[in-house]
Amino acid sequence: MYDLLKGLRVVEGAAFIAGPSAGLHMAQMGAEVIRFDAIGGGPDYRRWPLAPDGSSLYWEGLNKGKKSIALDLGRPEGRELAVALATAPGDQGGVFLTNYPVKGFLSHEALKIRREDIITVRVMGWADGSPAVDYTINAAVGVPQMTGPADDDRPVNHVLPAWDLLGGAYAAFAAASALLRRRASGVGAEIRVPLSDLAASSLSHLGQVAEVLAGGDRPRMGNDLFGAFGRDFVTADGQRLIVVAITPRQWTGLLKVLDLSEAVGAIEAALGVSFARDEGARFTHRAALFPLFEAAFARRDAQALKPAFDAGGVTWGQYQSLHQAVTQDPRLFTTNPLFQSLTHPSGLTYPASGPAATLADEARGPLAPAPRLGQHTDEVLAQVLGLDGGAIGRLHDEGLVA
């Protein structure tokens, strides 16, 4: 955890991945992030994966370091408390992250009446307000049609919610950008981050919109790397490695390690191409190249190839399960300084990640686990809304907070 946003107060009314991950990013950069939920928990409070006691590992992963207040959002008085939190005064407040609908009691218009300079960052499904999640947006933009074996036309859904994760990061970036402007001009902002627009803009940035307009949909090609040389191969001892050769150095290093320079040179001469100079040619003629590489891998053990690849400047990786990575890979988990061991609300003790960015000259601060639901209700009501003990007690008595 770092202190780049120390002193900033962010109020979060969101569920699932994109909104809460935006709050997580800001909390891990030092902001005070106050998440409000319905009493008993929101729609993601019991989402899988679960701990043995039924607690959501998903929820406690996405809400590390935040404060939690539980409100009866089904009653006007409870909704009023949520609005008051989002619009509470102070130069360091007035930032609201949400995935609630555009219209309603948490609309930007309603909040702006209470605080003129409020910054509202709203993660959405479709830009027109229609409901959607990462997986339905991904289906709509055609990525599952490009994924999977070439001889099977069934769509392949991804398991990584890429648009949700990108949405959370983009929402945090947008909030920070709006803060910079507000500090210079005093002007707030309403920012909408639809997953549909994130997907469409990302595919446009990558050239894929232009690609389909010029030449139609990209065909499925299994594990082949589009536009260059890359694929998985099986070694003599049964391990599966992936190699990627995009740059000339990566390509020539791969040929040297596998002793394929002469054989590949013969293919180049026959086709009148230079694979070293043209990465696209390696992709176009991959059917001629792959059998050579399959045979070369099949003659060598992985344990001999790995150091040779490293010495030769080859870009490679080994397929492994997440369990293997978590328990055996020091680069990712076992000795990675991103992780600190915490005892979580589920009662489990396990490593938790801090911010993915590293400030090279600054030490990482201690991480805080996710809160218990409603753990900070009284503290937030007192410190942010200025309520005294009697007023807070009455709210409890009336069942408006927990």
Side-chain angles (χ1 to χ4, degrees):
M1 183 169 173
Y2 296 116
D3 62 359
L4 296 180
L5 297 176
K6 185 177 181 180
L8 177 67
R9 183 177 68 246
V10 178
V11 175
E12 176 191 314
F16 302 114
I17 297 175
S21 65
L24 174 65
H25 294 319
M26 300 188 83
Q28 293 199 328
M29 286 297 176
E32 176 191 34
V33 178
I34 300 169
R35 172 170 171 161
F36 65 77
D37 282 284
I39 294 173
D44 59 347
Y45 187 58
R46 296 291 181 188
R47 193 145 190 258
W48 287 25
L50 303 177
D53 70 349
S55 300
S56 172
L57 301 176
Y58 168 104
W59 197 90
E60 67 183 24
L62 284 167
N63 293 290
K64 294 186 295 292
K66 300 178 186 178
K67 294 180 178 179
S68 172
I69 178 170
L71 308 172
D72 185 348
L73 296 171
R75 295 160 64 185
E77 299 89 343
R79 294 194 291 271
E80 165 59 25
L81 288 171
V83 171
L85 283 174
T87 60
D91 292 342
Q92 295 288 63
V95 179
F96 180 49
L97 295 173
T98 188
N99 63 353
Y100 272 72
V102 171
K103 302 298 182 183
F105 76 101
L106 290 172
S107 71
H108 181 74
E109 291 80 4
L111 300 178
K112 191 175 179 181
I113 292 171
R114 302 280 290 270
R115 178 165 180 156
E116 176 69 22
D117 67 347
I118 190 159
I119 295 169
T120 305
V121 183
R122 192 177 311 273
V123 178
M124 305 165 64
W126 288 96
D128 64 5
S130 301
V133 296
D134 180 283
Y135 303 99
T136 61
I137 292 296
N138 204 49
V141 295
V143 173
Q145 304 288 0
M146 292 184 274
T147 308
D151 58 356
D152 190 335
D153 63 359
R154 291 174 296 177
V156 177
N157 293 330
H158 60 190
V159 297
L160 181 73
W163 308 126
D164 274 339
L165 294 170
L166 179 60
Y170 196 89
F173 156 75
S177 299
L179 272 168
L180 287 174
R181 186 180 74 169
R182 190 176 76 178
R183 287 174 180 172
S185 67
V187 177
E190 179 186 12
I191 301 169
R192 300 181 185 183
V193 185
L195 299 185
S196 59
D197 285 352
L198 279 167
S201 64
S202 296
L203 295 176
S204 173
H205 298 331
L206 293 171
Q208 291 184 251
V209 171
E211 176 192 1
V212 299
L213 292 175
D217 282 316
R218 184 182 299 180
R220 306 171 76 140
M221 55 193 67
N223 284 344
D224 300 358
L225 174 65
F226 177 75
F229 185 90
R231 211 199 76 184
D232 56 305
F233 297 94
V234 180
T235 62
D237 52 347
Q239 294 194 42
R240 190 173 292 273
L241 306 180
I242 180 172
V243 291
V244 173
I246 297 175
T247 69
R249 182 172 182 271
Q250 291 169 342
W251 175 249
T252 55
L254 180 60
L255 296 184
K256 184 176 180 181
V257 171
L258 295 178
D259 194 22
L260 288 177
S261 299
E262 184 176 344
V264 168
I267 295 176
E268 289 178 308
L271 296 173
V273 299
S274 171
F275 294 133
R277 290 197 296 268
D278 187 352
E279 66 179 277
R282 300 171 216 151
F283 174 75
T284 301
H285 300 290
R286 65 193 185 282
L289 294 170
F290 282 162
L292 296 178
F293 285 83
E294 290 167 356
F297 273 87
R299 291 191 296 268
R300 294 165 171 83
D301 287 345
Q303 295 310 311
L305 277 174
K306 294 174 186 177
F309 280 161
D310 288 340
V314 177
T315 302
W316 67 279
Q318 180 172 346
Y319 289 86
Q320 60 187 5
S321 70
L322 180 56
H323 185 271
Q324 289 174 309
V326 169
T327 58
Q328 301 172 23
D329 197 324
R331 302 166 303 169
L332 289 172
F333 295 103
T334 59
T335 61
N336 190 336
L338 265 61
F339 287 85
Q340 298 176 22
S341 184
L342 299 177
T343 299
H344 299 266
S346 61
L348 299 179
T349 299
Y350 58 85
S353 175
T358 294
L359 301 185
D361 297 323
E362 298 185 29
R364 289 174 173 266
L367 296 180
R372 299 185 305 277
L373 186 68
Q375 177 179 341
H376 303 95
T377 293
D378 292 2
E379 174 189 330
V380 169
L381 292 174
Q383 294 183 1
V384 179
L385 298 187
L387 301 184
D388 60 25
I392 295 171
R394 286 189 293 274
L395 291 173
H396 281 283
D397 292 342
E398 295 169 8
L400 287 168
V401 300

